[in-house]
Amino acid sequence: PMGSPSASSSAALDAKRRKPDMWTNEERWIFVETFLQNGRDFKTITDKVKTKNKEQVRQYYYRALGE
């Protein structure tokens, strides 16, 4: 019916909004490896992860480590 496309579009928009918060196993691995080598140098971690911006890296750090 007519409501289906808009419901589908809404779900797609919600997924796009959530996507920056989702980290792949590879991104997590790179984050941890780089963090262990460089500490809270968010710029260096961002440069290594490549798929996240500095703010996303910073937020992930505080969410994952709770500091």
Side-chain angles (χ1 to χ4, degrees), residues 4-67:
S4 295
S6 64
S8 175
S9 298
S10 178
L13 287 174
D14 287 345
K16 283 184 180 181
R17 287 186 195 119
R18 281 193 306 267
K19 189 167 182 165
D21 292 335
M22 296 172 63
W23 285 60
T24 65
N25 288 337
E26 182 178 4
E27 290 168 334
R28 289 186 201 111
W29 178 258
I30 294 167
F31 175 93
V32 169
E33 288 292 308
T34 308
F35 173 77
L36 291 173
Q37 294 173 4
N38 299 281
R40 289 191 309 175
D41 182 349
F42 297 133
K43 182 184 182 329
T44 298
I45 296 170
T46 302
D47 291 345
K48 296 286 185 175
V49 173
K50 297 182 182 177
T51 54
K52 303 293 183 191
N53 64 41
K54 189 175 174 183
E55 182 62 19
Q56 290 168 322
V57 168
R58 190 186 69 75
Q59 287 177 353
Y60 182 77
Y61 168 82
Y62 285 109
R63 208 172 38 239
L65 301 177
E67 293 184 12

